Amino acid sequence: MVTLAEVAKHAGVSASTVSYVLSGKRSISSPTRERVEKAISELGYHPNAGARALAGKRSHIIALVVPLRTDVYVPIMMEIAISVTVAARSHGYDVLLITNDEGPEGVRRVAASGLADGVILMDVELDDARIPVLRETGTHAALIGLPADTRGLACVDHDFAGAGALCAEHLADLGHQDIAFIGYAPGVYQRHAGYAERTLSGFRERAAQRGLRVLHRPCEGSYESTAGALSRILADRPATTGFVVQNEGAIGPLLSLLRTSGRVVPEDASVVALCPDPLAEQYSPRLTAVTGPAHELGRQAVALVMNRLDDRPTAEVSLLTPVLTPRESSGPAPVR
Amino acid sequence: MVTLAEVAKHAGVSASTVSYVLSGKRSISSPTRERVEKAISELGYHPNAGARALAGKRSHIIALVVPLRTDVYVPIMMEIAISVTVAARSHGYDVLLITNDEGPEGVRRVAASGLADGVILMDVELDDARIPVLRETGTHAALIGLPADTRGLACVDHDFAGAGALCAEHLADLGHQDIAFIGYAPGVYQRHAGYAERTLSGFRERAAQRGLRVLHRPCEGSYESTAGALSRILADRPATTGFVVQNEGAIGPLLSLLRTSGRVVPEDASVVALCPDPLAEQYSPRLTAVTGPAHELGRQAVALVMNRLDDRPTAEVSLLTPVLTPRESSGPAPVR
DNA sequence: TTGTAGGCGTTATCAT
DNA sequence: ATGATAACGCCTACAA
């Protein structure tokens, strides 16, 4: 193993000079710097992470706590995880993956051991058990998602309420009056997942403003449950012409079922999905969809943690604006 | 921060005793052990990771290198990543997430810096650029996937050839004679992704043995490309009654298109998917599917790395047996 | 602009 | 069965 001392000897300077060349924390004359850099690359030197962490009091690692649950759309989680990792690297940080089966103690473990300098929590619940640990240990953290009490916490999330409102707005503009909202599984609402509730309430509120009639149906996301939800919708409100879907599993079945029931999209029924654009593009017809910038979530979460590490003040909550992309699945309400 | 020395003082023992209580590397009398453990929990002591890595020459971290590409089925990647993390924890290890945009240098970086004690590579290509780095640095590693030259490397993967054969076997047993294989995008075959080629050749070989006529069509996975592939299949081989799909994006469209073209599954056409069971269960009809145990991949990869870290010998390549679960989408070939 | 030296918290080797 | 102590490799005041 190549050490800093060996580099120093090879370059004919002292160890501290090499260290300072690396950290840039004091000015070095060009000739010295070049000799050191040459030595570094000739010897293939890589600073020892453990020693650096011990002496420098910073591991240059942040922990990313991911949920084990799979009822959230997995590709999005992955996209966020990857954007977090890439963003962290651009700050000279690495990312440690922590699964939520360790529970709140996982957070304590990585923070108290100095394994990680900061923590990013994904899939934050309204009353998240990891938050007390954060407060208690004073861990630098950023949350992806909104807990009930955000005081003193840095949070980023999609503006789900805005996304819901956007759906209502779009369908109202197209003249639809009866809208069904096909949502996540009942359990998601029962555990008061913030994103599900916020989307729904944003949607309901705007729908009310625009005088729309609204029906909300939770749905497991399987073909059968979608069929059940749809048939109940059509039984209860035969005049329904607009559908908002916030459940990736229900999209395919819904389109099939509408087709089977003789409804042509978008002539007879409009569909707006709350889902990532690549997914929306896969269907036929391509779906009008509302999406938030997933990779931006990761970037901002990392930025928040970095700010706190350098104790720079940051806004507590930042909500990312969703975008509605009109595609082929939505059109003017049919004339009666 | 609570240190080992503080725990020692609190328990009235020496630092080394505390260390040995923690590591279990020498016998400790019950009374002392209890005093030390009491002190540890009273003070809330967590060993400093950096110091431990420096002194012990082991970071207790393994790096997991994940692809950035999204043409592989993302939920599977996530499942593997999570199973790796959980398995690693059970060995007292944490997992560092490395994205492949760092390239082979990323591997060198984490290995040379001692950040990670070992590496797990996902999405390994036949001639993977990261492998020379592994060889050169002597890094303890496990590969998920099979490179062309496995000498000296520990590899785990699904038995894709076996999976392909299983599909052919199943359809042959049901009396089908003309089978179409709807595969991944052309690019996947062009870059000689091992899993795609191996599945196809395993399928072809068994099909030949059973006297089946076979047509292979790459497919982007969108509705349009699936429609294109299907219409060409039906034009070239109107007698086709069996479909094997190895492309998650093409499954939904294929089922829709078959229905639209008046073909009832499984009466007129049988469909066998190479996909995870949860996905297979989502469709209507539920799909007969061939799956490998994704979480087992993660477990074994971790086990391989651990073996190498403790320099225990291990088999070089282990292929996990796939399972075919018959569901509603496959049945006897229609009588002509 | 560069060098010297003490310390970071643990592990492991020697003693006892 | 337990203690003292020298590394481990780097960072950073303090000196020059």
Side-chain angles (χ1 to χ4, degrees):
Chain A
M1 178 194 202
V2 185
T3 70
L4 200 165
E6 297 176 290
V7 174
K9 190 183 301 170
H10 192 89
V13 299
S14 74
S16 60
T17 299
V18 178
S19 177
Y20 283 117
V21 166
L22 253 35
S23 70
K25 290 190 179 174
R26 79 181 182 193
S27 50
I28 305 282
S29 70
S30 291
T32 334
R33 151 169 292 116
E34 280 159 26
R35 293 222 313 289
V36 170
E37 279 166 351
K38 185 153 158 285
I40 287 177
S41 72
E42 281 179 7
L43 299 180
Y45 168 71
H46 289 260
N48 179 278
R52 192 158 82 116
L54 179 56
K57 310 201 167 306
R58 259 189 178 19
S59 65
H60 297 270
I61 289 176
I62 58 181
L64 176 69
V65 187
V66 303
L68 284 181
R69 223 177 306 112
T70 58
D71 60 0
V72 284
Y73 186 54
V74 181
I76 289 287
M77 278 183 31
M78 195 69 185
E79 189 178 346
I80 295 177
I82 287 180
S83 68
V84 163
T85 307
V86 172
R89 285 300 306 142
S90 78
H91 292 266
Y93 268 73
D94 275 289
V95 169
L96 202 72
L97 201 59
I98 304 290
T99 55
N100 216 351
D101 62 344
E102 285 198 60
E105 285 313 302
V107 172
R108 192 192 303 279
R109 184 176 66 84
V110 296
S113 66
L115 221 196
D117 299 332
V119 172
I120 294 178
L121 261 39
M122 287 184 65
D123 198 37
V124 172
E125 294 181 29
L126 276 184
D127 185 24
D128 202 293
R130 297 165 295 185
I131 293 177
V133 177
L134 252 32
R135 294 216 154 91
E136 181 188 324
T137 59
T139 305
H140 298 296
L143 317 201
I144 298 181
L146 279 193
D149 178 6
T150 63
R151 280 174 308 179
L153 300 172
C155 311
V156 223
D157 204 357
H158 295 300
D159 179 2
F160 284 103
L166 225 42
C167 296
E169 192 76 23
H170 180 70
L171 290 171
D173 287 347
L174 289 170
H176 296 269
Q177 306 207 305
D178 286 86
I179 318 283
F181 187 107
I182 299 180
Y184 286 113
V188 175
Y189 296 93
Q190 276 155 22
R191 68 163 204 270
H192 298 290
Y195 56 94
E197 293 191 335
R198 281 150 52 205
T199 311
L200 191 57
S201 65
F203 168 74
R204 281 208 159 111
E205 191 170 316
R206 184 63 57 90
Q209 288 168 10
R210 300 289 306 254
L212 307 179
R213 279 178 296 276
V214 159
L215 220 49
H216 168 232
R217 290 279 176 266
C219 174
E220 299 288 348
S222 66
Y223 190 88
E224 279 74 14
S225 59
T226 310
L230 181 60
S231 67
R232 284 177 55 214
I233 288 165
L234 295 178
D236 292 356
R237 291 275 173 78
T240 300
T241 60
F243 293 87
V244 175
V245 198
Q246 186 179 212
N247 185 329
E248 292 73 21
I251 297 175
L254 176 65
L255 293 178
S256 283
L257 288 159
L258 287 174
R259 199 175 292 136
T260 309
S261 73
R263 268 160 252 255
V264 179
V265 174
E267 283 76 4
D268 304 319
S270 286
V271 175
V272 178
L274 287 141
C275 79
D277 287 324
L279 198 62
E281 304 262 359
Q282 259 186 31
Y283 291 96
S284 169
R286 270 175 266 278
L287 302 176
T288 295
V290 174
T291 319
H295 75 268
E296 189 59 21
L297 268 190
R299 297 187 61 77
Q300 293 217 19
V302 171
L304 288 177
V305 173
M306 293 301 143
N307 282 337
R308 304 217 146 196
L309 284 175
D310 303 346
D311 44 39
R312 272 185 301 251
T314 59
E316 298 205 339
V317 173
S318 109
L319 294 183
L320 305 188
T321 306
V323 175
L324 183 145
T325 306
R327 296 197 183 82
E328 305 158 2
S329 69
S330 61
V335 285
R336 303 185 127 249
Chain B
M1 175 194 206
V2 185
T3 70
L4 201 165
E6 297 176 290
V7 174
K9 189 183 302 171
H10 192 89
V13 298
S14 74
S16 54
T17 298
V18 178
S19 177
Y20 282 116
V21 167
L22 251 35
S23 70
K25 290 189 182 175
R26 79 181 182 193
S27 49
I28 304 281
S29 70
S30 292
T32 353
R33 150 168 297 114
E34 280 158 25
R35 292 223 314 289
V36 169
E37 279 164 352
K38 184 153 159 284
I40 287 177
S41 71
E42 281 179 7
L43 300 180
Y45 168 70
H46 289 260
N48 180 276
R52 193 157 83 114
L54 180 57
K57 308 200 168 308
R58 258 188 179 20
S59 65
H60 296 272
I61 289 176
I62 59 181
L64 176 69
V65 187
V66 303
L68 285 181
R69 221 176 308 111
T70 57
D71 61 359
V72 284
Y73 186 54
V74 180
I76 289 287
M77 279 182 31
M78 195 68 186
E79 189 177 347
I80 295 176
I82 287 180
S83 69
V84 163
T85 307
V86 173
R89 284 300 308 142
S90 78
H91 291 266
Y93 269 73
D94 275 289
V95 170
L96 202 72
L97 202 57
I98 303 290
T99 55
N100 216 350
D101 61 345
E102 285 198 60
E105 286 313 302
V107 173
R108 191 192 304 280
R109 183 176 66 83
V110 295
S113 66
L115 221 195
D117 299 332
V119 172
I120 293 177
L121 260 39
M122 287 184 65
D123 198 38
V124 172
E125 294 182 27
L126 277 183
D127 186 24
D128 203 293
R130 298 165 295 184
I131 294 176
V133 177
L134 252 33
R135 293 216 155 91
E136 181 188 324
T137 57
T139 306
H140 299 296
L143 316 200
I144 298 181
L146 279 194
D149 178 6
T150 62
R151 280 175 309 180
L153 300 172
C155 310
V156 223
D157 204 357
H158 295 302
D159 179 1
F160 284 103
L166 224 42
C167 296
E169 193 75 24
H170 180 71
L171 290 171
D173 287 347
L174 290 169
H176 296 269
Q177 307 207 303
D178 287 86
I179 318 283
F181 186 108
I182 298 179
Y184 287 113
V188 175
Y189 296 93
Q190 276 155 23
R191 69 163 203 270
H192 298 291
Y195 55 94
E197 293 191 333
R198 282 150 53 204
T199 312
L200 191 57
S201 64
F203 168 74
R204 282 207 159 111
E205 193 169 315
R206 184 64 56 90
Q209 288 169 10
R210 301 289 305 254
L212 306 179
R213 280 177 296 276
V214 160
L215 221 48
H216 168 232
R217 291 279 177 266
C219 175
E220 299 288 350
S222 66
Y223 189 89
E224 279 74 16
S225 60
T226 310
L230 181 60
S231 67
R232 286 177 54 214
I233 288 164
L234 296 178
D236 293 356
R237 294 273 174 79
T240 299
T241 59
F243 294 87
V244 176
V245 198
Q246 185 180 211
N247 184 329
E248 292 72 19
I251 296 175
L254 176 65
L255 293 178
S256 282
L257 289 159
L258 286 174
R259 198 174 293 135
T260 309
S261 72
R263 269 160 251 253
V264 179
V265 174
E267 284 76 4
D268 304 319
S270 286
V271 175
V272 178
L274 288 141
C275 79
D277 287 324
L279 199 61
E281 303 262 0
Q282 259 187 29
Y283 291 96
S284 168
R286 271 177 263 278
L287 301 177
T288 296
V290 174
T291 320
H295 75 269
E296 189 59 21
L297 269 190
R299 296 188 63 77
Q300 293 218 17
V302 170
L304 288 177
V305 173
M306 293 301 143
N307 282 337
R308 304 217 145 196
L309 284 174
D310 304 345
D311 44 39
R312 273 184 300 252
T314 59
E316 298 206 337
V317 173
S318 109
L319 294 183
L320 306 188
T321 306
V323 175
L324 183 144
T325 306
R327 296 196 183 83
E328 306 157 2
S329 69
S330 61
V335 286
R336 303 182 125 253

